[in-house]
Amino acid sequence: LSFLLVGAVVFFLSTTGYETDRFNNLISKKVKKAEKNLDVDLKSIKIKLDLKKFDLFLNTKNPITKYQNINLPITELKIYFDFFSLFTKEPYIKRTKFLFNELNLSEVRKLIIRIKPSNFKSFILNNVSGGSIEGAVDLSFLENLELSSYKITGNLKKTNISSVNNFKIKDASFNFIAESNLILINSISFHLAGIPIINGSISINKKENILIEGSLVADINSDTEKLSELVKLLPNLDFSDKKVKILGNFLNKFTVSLDSTLKLKDYNYDLTGDLKNSKIDF
């Protein structure tokens, strides 16, 4: 009977959960204490069980969440407490996880004004436009609500990125995983100077320096007119008086090393491909 009772409780907490409003005010106050510009209005909260980690957490759907009066499209919020601290006056939030629907990059630009480092913030504000982002954020805390680690997963859709020397990326889409010292990006697609990048992956290791390694697959079916924008990026080449046609698939592998200020230290580039058809009239 005891075994059946425990099994029933575990099943109930891992599926339906126990609904309560006891923690609504507590969570709102904790959030406000950690970030004064963040307001969270919770509806129903359920106590549930994470079977993988055998850990109790509070779960709520579609909380009304605002940061500096910007509505955040959060669809689900999970808050993991230290179990024994629930019986004290100051329960310890050790982890939170929230999922959010598509958020326009224009809203994200407003949110990152307060973040560091400033050079990264400046790049986003001045060089990124359009598109949207959706995903999940997993945050772990120390007892004083100081952030100890994080993990962000999601996907970016139809975003434009510009840089110096007319270097423009259009309609960029990819999936990503971001942690404290590592960012992984895959299923990359975008248009660079009229050339479609159909797939690729990039890893960014952030320690003392920043190491970027990646590979991109380009599917090229272009003539002189279509290649003219790409040639502008290569000042030593001039196809203006030549007729060129290229058809093929190309694999671009690269490694880039940056210092903490994003200044280029070293790089390596390798190109291999399958040239199916080409024509050059000198």
Side-chain angles (χ1 to χ4, degrees):
L1 288 176
S2 298
F3 176 78
L4 290 175
L5 179 61
V6 172
V9 171
V10 169
F11 178 78
F12 175 71
L13 290 178
S14 62
T15 54
T16 305
Y18 174 72
E19 188 169 337
T20 178
D21 59 359
R22 175 186 173 188
F23 300 99
N24 290 36
N25 291 332
L26 172 65
I27 294 173
S28 297
K29 289 180 180 178
K30 285 280 187 179
V31 169
K32 198 69 175 178
K33 182 179 178 181
E35 177 51 69
K36 64 180 181 179
N37 294 309
L38 184 61
D39 296 301
V40 178
D41 184 10
L42 303 175
K43 298 179 181 179
S44 62
I45 294 179
K46 291 185 177 181
I47 300 176
K48 303 189 74 174
L49 178 67
D50 185 341
L51 283 177
K52 290 183 178 180
K53 297 185 177 181
F54 209 75
D55 205 356
L56 286 174
F57 65 92
L58 305 182
N59 179 258
T60 184
K61 302 285 187 179
N62 301 311
I64 300 174
T65 310
K66 292 184 178 181
Y67 183 81
Q68 293 184 336
N69 293 322
I70 299 173
N71 292 318
L72 304 180
I74 294 177
T75 58
E76 184 175 10
L77 174 63
K78 296 181 180 180
I79 302 175
Y80 294 78
F81 282 90
D82 178 76
F83 178 75
F84 294 103
S85 72
L86 291 174
F87 304 100
T88 66
K89 293 182 179 180
E90 288 293 331
Y92 162 38
I93 297 177
K94 61 180 183 179
R95 181 175 164 231
T96 65
K97 182 176 182 179
F98 59 88
L99 284 66
F100 59 93
N101 277 336
E102 285 194 14
L103 182 63
N104 291 331
L105 263 295
S106 58
E107 298 296 303
V108 175
R109 287 158 61 90
K110 298 176 184 178
L111 294 173
I112 67 171
I113 291 177
R114 293 166 51 89
I115 72 169
K116 297 180 181 180
S118 59
N119 48 13
F120 174 76
K121 176 177 67 177
S122 177
F123 178 82
I124 297 295
L125 293 176
N126 298 318
N127 303 93
V128 178
S129 62
S132 62
I133 185 173
E134 65 179 358
V137 179
D138 196 336
L139 307 174
S140 297
F141 301 96
L142 303 175
E143 289 196 32
N144 59 355
L145 277 181
E146 181 181 350
L147 185 66
S148 62
S149 64
Y150 67 86
K151 182 176 181 180
I152 305 173
T153 60
N155 61 78
L156 190 72
K157 300 178 181 178
K158 301 296 181 181
T159 300
N160 301 318
I161 303 172
S162 62
S163 186
V164 296
N165 300 326
N166 295 320
F167 187 85
K168 296 180 180 180
I169 294 175
K170 298 180 180 179
D171 295 330
S173 298
F174 54 79
N175 302 324
F176 65 89
I177 300 175
E179 298 180 349
S180 302
N181 294 314
L182 178 65
I183 299 175
L184 298 175
I185 304 172
N186 54 44
S187 300
I188 299 172
S189 65
F190 60 86
H191 283 78
L192 171 62
I195 304 301
I197 304 299
I198 59 175
N199 196 9
S201 62
I202 298 174
S203 67
I204 304 173
N205 286 281
K206 301 179 294 179
K207 292 183 180 179
E208 294 181 1
N209 297 315
I210 301 174
L211 180 63
I212 305 173
E213 297 177 292
S215 62
L216 300 170
V217 178
D219 186 11
I220 300 179
N221 183 5
S222 299
D223 54 22
T224 305
E225 184 178 354
K226 292 180 180 178
L227 289 172
S228 61
E229 188 176 351
L230 179 62
V231 171
K232 292 178 183 178
L233 302 177
L234 306 171
N236 295 325
L237 293 178
D238 183 11
F239 287 151
S240 59
D241 59 343
K242 305 175 183 65
K243 294 181 180 180
V244 180
K245 183 175 179 61
I246 298 176
L247 174 63
N249 299 100
F250 300 89
L251 175 62
N252 306 265
K253 292 184 178 181
F254 57 89
T255 303
V256 180
S257 178
L258 308 173
D259 64 17
S260 58
T261 64
L262 302 185
K263 183 179 179 180
L264 180 64
K265 295 182 63 179
D266 195 13
Y267 71 92
N268 186 61
Y269 174 76
D270 182 62
L271 173 66
T272 58
D274 177 15
L275 187 60
K276 299 177 181 179
N277 189 18
S278 65
K279 179 180 180 181
I280 302 177
D281 291 339
F282 293 98

